[in-house]
Amino acid sequence: MMRWAVSGVMLAALSPATGSAAHAQVRDAAIEAQPLDRALALWSARTGIQVVMAADTRRVRSHRVRGGLSAQAALRRLLAGTGYEARFLGAHTVALLRVAPAPAPPSVTPDERPQDIVVTGTRLGALSNNAIMPVRTMGRAELDGAAQADLATSLLRIGAIQPGLGLQSSQNQTSGGAGLSLIDLRGLGVARTLVLVDGQRQVGARRGLSAVDLNTIPPQMVERIEVTTGGGSAVYGADAVAGVVNIILRHGPVDGIDLNATSALSSYGDAPTRGVSLRWGRSDVVGSGWDLSGGLYHDSIAAVNAAARGYASDGLDVIRAASGEGLVTLPGIHFLPADAAGSYTIGGARSVFAANGSTARPYDTGAMGARDGRQIGGDGLAPQRYDQLRLGLVRTAANLSLRRNAGAHRLAASLRIVATTTRSLWQPMIFPSDRAALSLTTANPFLPDATVAAMRAAGIGQIDVAKVLDAFGRVGSVNHRLMTTARAGAGGPVGDRWRYTLDAGWGRSHDAITTIGLADVDRLRQSIDAIRDPVTGAIRCRDATARAAGCVPLDIVGSGPVDPAAVAWSAIAPRSGETLTQVILGGQMTGRPWTLPAGPVEVTIGWEARREISDRRSSAIQQRGGTYLPQVPSYAGRYGVAEALGEISAPLLMHRAGVDRLTVTAAWRLSHYSTVGWAGAWHAGLDYAPVAALRFRAMRSRAVRAPNIGELYSGPAQGYAFVTDPCDATRRDAVAVRAARCDALGLSAAFDGQNGIAKPVTYDGNPALRAELADTSTLGVSWERGGARVTLDGWHIRVDRAIGFPIEQATLNDCVDAADGPRRTAACGAISRDAASGQIVGLRARYTNIGRIDTAGIDLAADWRVTPAIAGGAVDLSATATWVGRLAVTADAASGGTVRLDGILPNPRLRASLGARWSSQRLTLDWQARLIGSARITGDETIPIDRPATGLRSYHDLGAALRLASATLRLDVANVFDAAPPRRGYQTSQGIGAAALYPNLGRIVRLGATATF
C-alpha cells in the first residue's frame, strides 16, 4: 500500500472528514491572520474537524480568511504563503505537505517531540498551550524510552504522581489487591485521582473503589497520556480532586498493519519481559462505509524475588541502638520471637528447638537484642528473603473500534477486553498471630524430653510455640482478572453553530482470587495437638472427632521435613471473587452561539448518568475468620448519580495594546447521588497574554468526591498496622503527662509494648458518610519564543471532610496524650489490650468525614528545540520539576493533630526529569534522567535515626531508534548506571512499598522492533 511521507505537519481528524464535510460551507469564515496553530484551531472548531498539530506551526503566520467558503477552500486560504499545502488522505486524515523551504530544522515524526494536542481538562477542544489547567503530556516516544512494561512505573517520571499500589508495592494485598497498578496524584490517594481512557471513565478494578487498574492497559496500546492537575470535577465529575489522568489509546492504521515485538532482561540475567502486539485497520470495509480497526496484545512480566539482589536481602533495617536511644541502620536484622524451628518461653527464659526437634537450647538474640521485636543475627525470622521486588504479570488484551460517517454525523463503537493473571507471594504463616497460637501440652510426643521436664518443673501444662510454618508455603494470592468495556457514541452538527455528542458505556471487572499458603486454623490446632496412643504407641490427634474425620498429627517441633499428609489435613486455598459493574449514559452540545469583538464564545452543556455496582463474595471460612489471615466479609453496594454540566470560554480582548489575548473560562456540574444527595462542583479561570510570547493564567475550582462503595458499605474487615505503643518503657517519657496516664492504665515503667510487631486493626464502613469537598487554586505563567517554552505553576489544594480512618498511631497517642478528656476516652475505647500482659491485641477504626488534607507546591516545565540543527538532526531539550512545599493530613480537623507528610517517603519535596533527544529522518537518540530529592524514611521525628533521609538520587535511561523503509528498531537501557534504591531501613533498600519511587531491579535492557505493512 502507498504511504505519504509528510515532512511538515499532519492533521489527524478525530472527527473524520468526508468529502462532503470538506466541501461544506463555512458561513462564519472570518479568521484573522495569526499564528497558524491558532488559526487552524478556529478552522477546526468551525468545520467540526478536530486537529492535532505539531508545535512548529506556531512560528508560521496564517493568511486572513473572509467570506463564505468551503472547509477545504478556507483551509487553502489560511495556508496561502505559509509554505504548506493541504491534502486529504482518504476519509480520515488531512496532511500539510511542505511545498516551500522554511527555516525550521529537520522534521521528526509526531511521536518524537512534544506536541500541542487537544487536551484533558476541558470539553471545548483547547490545545495544550492554551489550556487553563496545567497539563503534562507523556508521548509515545517517552513511553518507549522508559523501557517499562507497566504504565504505572512509567508515569512515576511525572513529579505530580506518587506510587499507589503497583507490581512493586502490592505483594501483601492478599485479600484482593495484589497485582493491581493504581496511581496517586499529588499524594492525595488513589481514590482522589480520576483515570480516563480516551476521555471516558473506565470501570474500577478493586471492590468498593473507582480506581482504574493500569495493568488493563498495555503500554503498546497507548498513544499518549495527559496528566491534568487541579480539581477537575466540574468537567469530568467525582474523584478528580487531585486531577485527571487521561490515557489516549492508539487506533489501528488506516488500511495497514503494525506488528511490534519487545524483549527485556536485567543485567543480572533475570526479570525478563516479553511482548507482542498487532494493530490493524481497514477503511470502508466491504463498501459498507464503516472503518474498522483493532489490536491484539500479549505480554508477560516475570516476578523477581528480593533474594536475587544482595542490596534487597541482606537484612538491612533499623534497630534500637545499644544505648536504647534512637535507631541505627544495620544489616542482618531478624524479627523475634518466631523461628523456623520454633521457640517458646518458660519462666521468662526463651528457648528454641534444634532443627531435628530432639532438644532445645537458649534462644540466640544475636549481636544486639532489642525490645522492639528486632535483633541482629541469631535466631528469629529474616523476612526479606520472602519479599518480592516485582510481582509477575501475564496479560492478554484485545480492542476493536468501528467508525462511520453518515453525512456530517459520526458513529462510533468500541470493545476492549483484557485478561491478566498475577501471583503474589508474601511470608509464610507466622505464629503467634491474632488468629491463633500454636499450643503444645506436656503430653505432646513431639516435644523433647528436656522441654517437658522444664514445663513440669515450672508447673505449666502447655507452651505457645512461636513458629514460621514454612511447610505450608508462602501466603499469597493468584488473581485472575477479566475486564470488559464497551462504548458507543454518535456526534455531528446541529444547525450552523452547534455540535452534539451522545455516548453510552458499559464495563465489568471481575477478579477471581485464590489465596494460597493458608491453613484452617481449627484443623491446624487439632493437628498439632497430638498424643501417643496408650495401646498402640502410635502418635495420633487428641480430638476424637478430628481423628474420625482423618486428622493427621503435625510435628511443629524443629525445622525438619514434615508429613505431607499432616499439612494436607489443614491446608486450604480459599476462593473468593470481586465484581465491579459500571453503566454510563451521557450527552453534550458544544457550540459558538455568540461572537464577541475578540472572537466567538465557546459553550458546552451536557448531562451524564452513571451507576456503579460492587460486590465481594468471600468463602465461608474467610467470612468467619477461620484462616491465618484476617476476616474478610462479603458485602455488596451500589449507587447512582445523575449530573448536569456546563462550560464556557469567552474571549474578552484580542490583539489590543498590552493585550494579545484575554479570556475567561468557567465550568459547573450539579450532581445528585443516591447515597449522599446533592453535590456541586465548579471552576473559574482567567487567561491573559500581554504579548503573544507571555501568558498568565489563574484558576480556582471546587471539586467533590462522593464516598465510594467500599467506604459506605464494607463490613468489618481486619488488617494490620505497624504502630508504636506510647506506654512502652522507651516511649513513656516522650510527653510530660504520658507516664502518669500509662500508670493509670496499669502499665508499669518496665512495660514492653512489643513495638515493631504489627497489630491487628478492624476497619469498618459507614453509610452516613458525606461527600468530600476540595478547593484548588492555581497560578501560572508561561513564556514561549522561537523553539523554547517555559511554564511555571503554583498550586494549592485543600480537601475538607476528607474520608478516612483515624490514624492508628494517633489513636494510641491520644489515649495517653490528649488534653481533651472525651477525646482520650474515645481513643482508649478503640484499643484492646491483653488483660494479663497489657499488650495491644487490637484496634478499631471506622471511616469518617473528620479529616483534612492540605497540599501546595510548584510545577516547572521547559522544552526547547535547539536551532539550527546539529549534525543534520533536530535537538530537543526538556525539563520538568515538582516541588511539594506542604502535604499535611489532619485526622480530626476539629481537634487538630496535623501530620506533615511532605519530605517523607513516598513524598520527597523535589522530583525532576530531564531529557535530551537528537533526531534525524533515520535515527533518534534519547537520554532521560530522573532526580528524586532526599526524603525521610519515616514520619516519626521524635525517634533519632542515624540515617533518616535517603539523599538525592538520580537514575538515567538511554534509547535509540533506527527507522528503516517499513520498520523501526529500538534499543532502550533503563537505569544505565545500575543504581540501587537508597540503603535505608523500612524496606527502602528494596524499593517496595513507600520506596517504590526508586528502580529496584537494576539495569534493564530492552529491544523492540515494529514493522508496518
Side-chain angles (χ1 to χ4, degrees):
M1 56 174 285
M2 179 177 182
R3 293 291 179 104
W4 289 92
V6 182
S7 60
V9 181
M10 179 169 286
L11 300 180
L14 303 184
S15 295
T18 62
S20 59
H23 292 88
Q25 291 293 110
V26 183
R27 299 184 182 180
D28 185 11
I31 301 177
E32 296 295 332
Q34 55 190 294
L36 185 56
D37 67 320
R38 297 186 195 170
L40 290 171
L42 289 172
W43 175 85
S44 168
R46 293 174 185 178
T47 60
I49 305 174
Q50 299 182 31
V51 300
V52 176
M53 297 178 290
D56 56 0
T57 56
R58 294 174 296 188
R59 302 197 295 265
V60 181
R61 193 117 179 126
S62 74
H63 195 281
R64 186 177 67 174
V65 174
R66 296 286 187 188
L69 299 171
S70 70
Q72 194 170 26
L75 180 58
R76 282 199 303 267
R77 184 66 174 164
L78 282 177
L79 298 176
T82 64
Y84 294 92
E85 71 176 16
R87 295 184 185 177
F88 283 81
L89 305 182
H92 296 270
T93 310
V94 176
L96 297 189
L97 306 180
R98 194 182 303 282
V99 294
S107 64
V108 295
T109 65
D111 279 343
E112 290 174 341
R113 65 164 284 119
Q115 299 176 339
D116 287 341
I117 53 182
V118 180
V119 298
T120 308
T122 177
R123 294 177 181 265
L124 298 175
L127 302 179
S128 60
N129 60 327
N130 293 328
I132 193 66
M133 293 183 182
V135 178
R136 166 77 161 89
T137 301
M138 179 177 284
R140 182 69 252 160
E142 193 171 356
L143 288 169
D144 284 335
Q148 299 294 335
D150 63 303
L151 285 181
T153 302
S154 297
L155 282 169
L156 290 177
R157 294 170 177 267
I158 298 177
I161 292 179
Q162 310 288 23
L165 284 181
L167 297 181
Q168 291 174 272
S169 56
S170 66
Q171 60 178 307
N172 62 346
Q173 301 291 315
T174 51
S175 64
L180 293 177
S181 284
L182 313 178
I183 58 172
D184 177 1
L185 259 176
R186 299 293 191 209
L188 297 182
V190 298
R192 299 181 182 94
T193 301
L194 178 59
V195 176
L196 306 174
V197 179
D198 282 339
Q200 304 290 339
R201 283 180 177 266
Q202 177 178 298
V203 65
R206 190 176 189 189
R207 66 181 190 278
L209 281 177
S210 300
V212 172
D213 179 13
L214 295 191
N215 284 336
T216 62
I217 309 170
Q220 287 300 319
M221 188 183 280
V222 178
E223 178 66 28
R224 66 182 185 274
I225 302 173
E226 302 163 2
V227 179
T228 303
T229 52
S233 290
V235 177
Y236 288 105
D239 306 327
V241 171
V244 178
V245 177
N246 189 12
I247 300 171
I248 309 299
L249 302 183
R250 304 171 78 182
H251 296 285
V254 176
D255 293 324
I257 295 174
D258 285 343
L259 179 63
N260 175 268
T262 60
S263 180
L265 198 67
S266 80
S267 56
Y268 294 82
D270 59 6
T273 63
R274 297 179 179 86
V276 293
S277 65
L278 173 69
R279 298 188 307 117
W280 54 273
R282 180 69 182 268
S283 62
D284 193 21
V285 178
V286 198
S288 64
W290 287 95
D291 299 329
L292 182 64
S293 63
L296 296 172
Y297 308 82
H298 178 79
D299 59 356
S300 63
I301 303 172
V304 180
N305 292 318
R309 302 288 186 274
Y311 56 77
S313 57
D314 63 358
L316 187 75
D317 211 326
V318 294
I319 190 171
R320 191 163 299 280
S323 64
E325 296 296 326
L327 300 178
V328 292
T329 306
L330 295 170
I333 291 180
H334 293 183
F335 286 74
L336 60 93
D339 185 87
S343 73
Y344 60 93
T345 298
I346 297 177
R350 181 161 293 276
S351 300
V352 64
F353 296 117
N356 62 7
S358 62
T359 186
R361 57 172 173 78
Y363 186 95
D364 182 1
T365 58
M368 182 188 298
R371 49 183 307 132
D372 291 345
R374 304 182 186 203
Q375 63 188 48
I376 298 178
D379 297 317
L381 171 69
Q384 288 185 334
R385 71 187 184 97
Y386 296 112
D387 290 335
Q388 289 181 286
L389 301 186
R390 183 177 74 181
L391 273 63
L393 173 72
V394 177
R395 170 173 49 196
T396 302
N399 69 305
L400 185 68
S401 297
L402 281 166
R403 290 182 176 84
R404 187 176 191 274
N405 290 313
H409 299 267
R410 173 184 58 87
L411 305 176
S414 64
L415 175 68
R416 185 158 55 94
I417 302 174
V418 184
T420 63
T421 298
T422 60
R423 179 186 176 89
S424 73
L425 295 173
W426 197 29
Q427 300 167 359
M429 292 185 292
I430 301 172
F431 291 89
S433 75
D434 67 313
R435 302 288 88 201
L438 302 183
S439 301
L440 301 182
T441 69
T442 54
N444 194 298
F446 296 118
L447 281 174
D449 293 340
T451 301
V452 173
M455 294 169 63
R456 288 172 175 164
I460 59 176
Q462 70 177 32
I463 55 173
D464 290 339
V465 178
K467 173 79 173 180
V468 180
L469 278 179
D470 284 300
F472 287 78
R474 293 157 67 182
V475 176
S477 68
V478 179
N479 296 72
H480 296 285
R481 296 185 172 97
L482 180 65
M483 191 277 298
T484 306
T485 61
R487 305 201 73 90
V494 178
D496 298 333
R497 296 178 179 268
W498 293 89
R499 294 187 63 83
Y500 76 93
T501 301
L502 295 173
D503 285 293
W506 172 86
R508 183 179 185 272
S509 178
H510 179 71
D511 185 2
I513 310 159
T514 302
T515 309
I516 58 178
L518 296 181
D520 181 322
V521 172
D522 291 338
R523 285 195 164 203
L524 180 61
R525 286 173 173 154
Q526 295 167 346
S527 185
I528 66 172
D529 185 16
I531 60 173
R532 192 175 294 277
D533 189 299
V535 177
T536 65
I539 299 175
R540 67 182 188 181
C541 298
R542 180 196 299 270
D543 189 291
T545 303
R547 287 201 308 272
C551 178
V552 179
L554 176 64
D555 180 5
I556 63 169
V557 176
S559 56
V562 299
D563 184 353
V567 173
W569 160 254
S570 59
I572 55 172
R575 296 184 178 182
S576 56
E578 299 178 1
T579 304
L580 295 88
T581 305
Q582 180 186 78
V583 180
I584 299 177
L585 297 174
Q588 68 179 48
M589 296 278 290
T590 300
R592 299 185 169 198
W594 312 289
T595 300
L596 302 178
V601 176
E602 297 181 82
V603 174
T604 290
I605 55 175
W607 61 275
E608 186 172 286
R610 176 165 51 94
R611 178 168 290 276
E612 303 274 358
I613 305 171
S614 177
D615 68 76
R616 161 86 188 207
R617 298 169 307 286
S618 300
S619 65
I621 194 169
Q622 290 174 308
Q623 293 188 60
R624 71 170 187 267
T627 75
Y628 165 80
L629 293 175
Q631 175 187 9
V632 183
S634 294
Y635 76 89
R638 64 180 61 201
Y639 70 84
V641 56
E643 303 177 292
L645 60 98
E647 187 174 3
I648 185 170
S649 176
L652 302 183
L653 295 173
M654 183 80 74
H655 304 314
R656 302 287 184 88
V659 181
D660 182 69
R661 181 174 72 249
L662 178 62
T663 304
V664 295
T665 64
W668 59 269
R669 179 180 290 253
L670 184 62
S671 308
H672 184 269
Y673 290 86
S674 61
T675 52
V676 298
W678 293 99
W682 54 267
H683 79 236
L686 180 68
D687 184 6
Y688 168 56
V691 295
L694 183 64
R695 178 180 176 231
F696 300 90
R697 63 173 181 257
M699 192 270 291
R700 175 76 173 174
S701 72
R702 161 64 61 86
V704 297
R705 186 182 80 85
N708 58 50
I709 293 172
E711 292 164 335
L712 291 165
Y713 304 120
S714 62
Q718 292 177 309
Y720 293 91
F722 282 94
V723 292
T724 299
D725 193 327
C727 290
D728 183 88
T730 62
R731 307 295 304 133
R732 62 187 279 122
D733 296 322
V735 178
V737 298
R738 183 179 289 180
R741 290 174 178 167
C742 290
D743 288 341
L745 292 174
L747 304 174
S748 70
F751 172 65
D752 180 359
Q754 288 193 328
N755 293 337
I757 299 177
K759 305 299 191 295
V761 185
T762 300
Y763 301 99
D764 204 354
N766 183 0
L769 291 172
R770 296 179 294 165
E772 295 180 345
L773 303 177
D775 293 318
T776 299
S777 299
T778 302
L779 294 174
V781 59
S782 62
W783 174 85
E784 184 176 346
R785 186 165 184 175
R789 177 166 56 187
V790 180
T791 301
L792 184 68
D793 291 288
W795 45 269
H796 175 246
I797 304 173
R798 172 169 159 162
V799 182
D800 289 307
R801 302 195 321 213
I803 299 170
F805 294 112
I807 297 174
E808 295 90 349
Q809 188 62 57
T811 299
L812 292 172
N813 292 346
D814 283 347
C815 177
V816 291
D817 297 343
D820 178 60
R823 183 178 180 85
R824 273 201 320 276
T825 301
C828 290
I831 303 169
S832 299
R833 293 182 178 273
D834 182 79
S837 68
Q839 292 167 349
I840 297 169
V841 294
L843 294 168
R844 297 191 305 277
R846 192 183 196 196
Y847 281 115
T848 61
N849 275 107
I850 61 175
R852 177 187 298 148
I853 308 174
D854 188 74
T855 183
I858 297 172
D859 291 331
L860 171 69
D863 60 79
W864 177 35
R865 166 157 284 192
V866 180
T867 54
I870 298 177
V875 175
D876 293 288
L877 305 178
S878 64
T880 64
T882 293
W883 172 263
V884 180
R886 178 179 176 82
L887 176 56
V889 176
T890 306
D892 187 340
S895 303
T898 298
V899 178
R900 291 289 295 268
L901 300 179
D902 47 288
I904 301 169
L905 282 178
N907 306 295
R909 288 193 171 92
L910 174 65
R911 289 171 60 197
S913 295
L914 305 174
R917 180 176 295 130
W918 177 90
S919 185
S920 67
Q921 294 291 341
R922 288 278 186 178
L923 180 65
T924 295
L925 302 176
D926 184 75
W927 165 77
Q928 297 181 51
R930 292 174 57 199
L931 303 179
I932 304 174
S934 184
R936 284 184 60 89
I937 60 175
T938 175
D940 190 348
E941 298 187 18
T942 66
I943 303 178
I945 303 178
D946 64 332
R947 285 185 278 176
T950 62
L952 177 68
R953 302 281 161 164
S954 65
Y955 299 88
H956 301 262
D957 305 332
L958 293 176
L962 177 64
R963 289 175 292 277
L964 306 175
S966 58
T968 300
L969 305 178
R970 283 199 65 92
L971 170 65
D972 296 289
V973 183
N975 194 6
V976 172
F977 300 111
D978 196 17
R983 300 286 287 153
R984 299 294 187 272
Y986 297 116
Q987 298 180 315
T988 304
S989 61
Q990 295 179 304
I992 62 178
L997 280 170
Y998 304 100
N1000 67 347
L1001 300 181
R1003 184 185 302 111
I1004 301 291
V1005 179
R1006 186 173 74 166
L1007 295 172
T1010 302
T1012 302
F1013 305 97

